[in-house]
Amino acid sequence: METPGLVHGEAEPFSKALRSLVNNRLYSDVRFVVGQERQEVFAHRCLLACRCNFFQRLLGPEPGPGVPGPVVLSTVPAEAFLAVLEFLYTNSVKLHRHSVAVTFGLGLLQERCIAFIEAHSQEALRTRGFLELSAPALLLLLRSDKLCVDEADLVLAARSWARVGAAVLERPVAEVAAPVVRELRLALLAPAELSALEEQNRREPLIPVEQIVEAWKCHALRRGDAVRGATCRRRRGTLPREHHRFLDLPLK
């Protein structure tokens, strides 16, 4: 609703001017060291704090005395972080499969990122950015019915993601994968695929044994509701298998 007497200037020059300040040392009063490459990124405290609650909490009400040290965000890919800054500064950003990420509680940007990955699932799974996703971000993706990818490929991608995390964090693969693997829909796999997964899981634990047992129960009873506490809905990219007709669940 228009406010009487309010005059609007042109949006494009305003957006262009603010975009020129993204990662610009000019007038910047906060520095970030981002990603494993420790890339230095310059920003402006007041703009970040007024645009995003995450940065408001992170940066605090005002800088301390002296020259403030950099804020280290070593687990955030630099390209994704710069995309977030561009969105905060200009209220727009061009997403592509190399930089898309779920970030900093920005609801609208998060929705756009998820929609982008849903539409470009195969390409996104092959990027370094996917391997660097946080567990909460991957969890959101695995809960989606709209991913254009088959479940067998998702299992492989989840294993690759967990291996990278395990190497970085020096923790077992199964421990790193624990927050997300419950969202893998194993009942969608054919019996031969499930047997192969079970054998690989013995050699390199990834998925809880009871989760695999629940998938076998679904096959044995030939009923989708046999998988209690888990989903067996087909995703947009799920390839058809003979047993899917017994799930009695429509394709989303």
Side-chain angles (χ1 to χ4, degrees), residues 113-130:
C113 289
I114 291 176
F116 184 93
I117 294 175
E118 287 171 341
H120 303 85
S121 303
Q122 290 284 0
E123 298 94 331
L125 294 186
R126 293 194 291 267
T127 65
R128 177 180 172 183
F130 174 81

Side-chain angles (χ1 to χ4, degrees), residues 40-62:
E40 191 173 41
V41 176
F42 298 93
H44 305 81
R45 178 183 296 268
C46 65
L47 197 152
L48 298 184
C50 74
R51 286 280 284 147
C52 178
N53 289 334
F54 170 85
F55 285 111
Q56 189 177 85
R57 294 191 300 269
L58 178 69
L59 300 175
E62 59 184 30

Side-chain angles (χ1 to χ4, degrees), residues 24 30-31 60 62 67 71 74-75 86 95 103 133 155 161 167 173 194 215 243:
N24 190 332
V30 60
R31 289 185 301 132
E62 59 184 30
V67 179
V71 179
S74 58
T75 61
E86 183 177 352
L95 297 175
T103 41
L133 284 176
V155 172
W161 174 86
V173 169
L194 198 53
H243 75 285

Side-chain angles (χ1 to χ4, degrees), residues 38-198:
R38 298 184 61 82
Q39 179 176 334
E40 191 173 41
V41 176
F42 298 93
H44 305 81
R45 178 183 296 268
C46 65
L47 197 152
L48 298 184
C50 74
R51 286 280 284 147
C52 178
N53 289 334
F54 170 85
F55 285 111
Q56 189 177 85
R57 294 191 300 269
L58 178 69
L59 300 175
E62 59 184 30
V67 179
V71 179
V72 179
L73 299 173
S74 58
T75 61
V76 180
E79 198 167 6
F81 185 74
L82 288 170
V84 169
L85 288 190
E86 183 177 352
F87 182 80
L88 292 177
Y89 278 62
T90 68
N91 213 37
S92 64
V93 64
K94 183 177 181 180
L95 297 175
H96 56 84
R97 65 179 185 269
H98 297 295
S99 64
V100 69
V102 182
T103 41
F104 307 121
L106 297 172
L108 178 61
L109 181 57
Q110 177 176 295
E111 291 172 9
R112 296 289 188 270
C113 289
I114 291 176
F116 184 93
I117 294 175
E118 287 171 341
H120 303 85
S121 303
Q122 290 284 0
E123 298 94 331
L125 294 186
R126 293 194 291 267
T127 65
R128 177 180 172 183
F130 174 81
L131 298 177
E132 294 176 341
L133 284 176
S134 66
L138 182 55
L139 193 63
L140 282 173
L141 291 177
L142 293 181
R143 286 173 176 166
S144 171
D145 294 338
K146 298 178 181 179
L147 291 175
C148 295
V149 64
D150 187 62
E151 208 65 24
D153 294 327
L154 272 182
V155 172
L156 291 175
R159 186 178 294 278
S160 297
W161 174 86
R163 283 171 175 166
V164 170
V168 172
L169 301 173
E170 298 183 345
R171 290 162 51 195
V173 169
E175 183 180 329
V176 172
V180 302
V181 290
R182 282 289 180 187
E183 299 301 325
L184 292 173
R185 305 176 184 184
L186 303 186
L188 297 177
L189 300 178
E193 295 172 306
L194 198 53
S195 293
L197 174 62
E198 193 170 27

